[in-house]
Amino acid sequence: METAVDIVVPVCVCVILPIAIVWIVFNSIINRTNKKTLIILEAIKNNPTTDTKHLLESFRKTDTDPYINLARKLLRGSIFTLLGIAFAFLGAFGGSEKFELFSWVACGVFGAVGIGFLITYWFTFKNIDKIKADKD
């Protein structure tokens, strides 16, 4: 017989947690946009001759070097892939049946994310000259 904890915890993790994460991300984006809008409106109100185009460009993120982004993709891909391999070993030599199931699921998730980062790294590495040309 299942207890309430066996039912509530998966529901919270699979339903409430993803909804909360999406809500937090979208609220932070909306708040950031609203703050930028208020700053621009105040700048225009206080000084009507403000160059709004220049002000808007100052809010944009600065572009990082493509090689730094490439190194980050390689690092993240390596970490997630190694985590997937580690969970595969834990699943193969684990203890209880629930732990083995969790380990194999974690292996699949971390392995897929890591391989995705490594594929992105490989394609970016092949096209780094085009990326640098587009940036300049």
Side-chain angles (χ1 to χ4, degrees):
M1 182 121 217
E2 292 189 34
T3 63
V5 174
D6 291 337
I7 296 170
V8 172
V9 171
V11 168
C12 288
V13 170
C14 295
V15 177
I16 296 172
L17 184 64
I19 290 172
I21 290 171
V22 169
W23 181 79
I24 290 169
V25 168
F26 279 116
N27 257 358
S28 67
I29 291 170
I30 289 170
N31 285 339
R32 189 179 324 130
T33 305
N34 288 343
K35 286 180 183 180
K36 287 179 185 178
T37 304
L38 287 175
I39 291 171
I40 292 171
L41 289 175
E42 284 294 320
I44 292 171
K45 185 170 80 172
N46 292 336
N47 187 5
T49 61
T50 302
D51 185 14
T52 56
K53 187 175 183 180
H54 182 357
L55 187 61
L56 285 173
E57 287 178 6
S58 68
F59 283 129
R60 293 196 178 134
K61 290 183 179 179
T62 58
D63 291 328
T64 57
D65 188 27
Y67 289 107
I68 293 173
N69 288 335
L70 195 65
R72 286 182 185 152
K73 287 176 184 160
L74 179 62
L75 175 68
R76 291 175 183 154
S78 301
I79 289 172
F80 279 109
T81 304
L82 289 174
L83 277 172
I85 292 169
F87 275 110
F89 279 114
L90 287 174
F93 304 113
S96 69
E97 190 174 312
K98 282 186 178 182
F99 181 73
E100 286 181 16
L101 178 65
F102 168 76
S103 294
W104 287 114
V105 169
C107 166
V109 170
F110 285 126
V113 170
I115 290 170
F117 271 118
L118 291 175
I119 289 171
T120 306
Y121 165 78
W122 184 74
F123 279 111
T124 307
F125 182 75
K126 291 287 185 185
N127 298 316
I128 194 76
D129 294 331
K130 292 178 187 175
I131 293 169
K132 283 191 73 157
D134 288 343
K135 183 183 174 204
D136 295 335

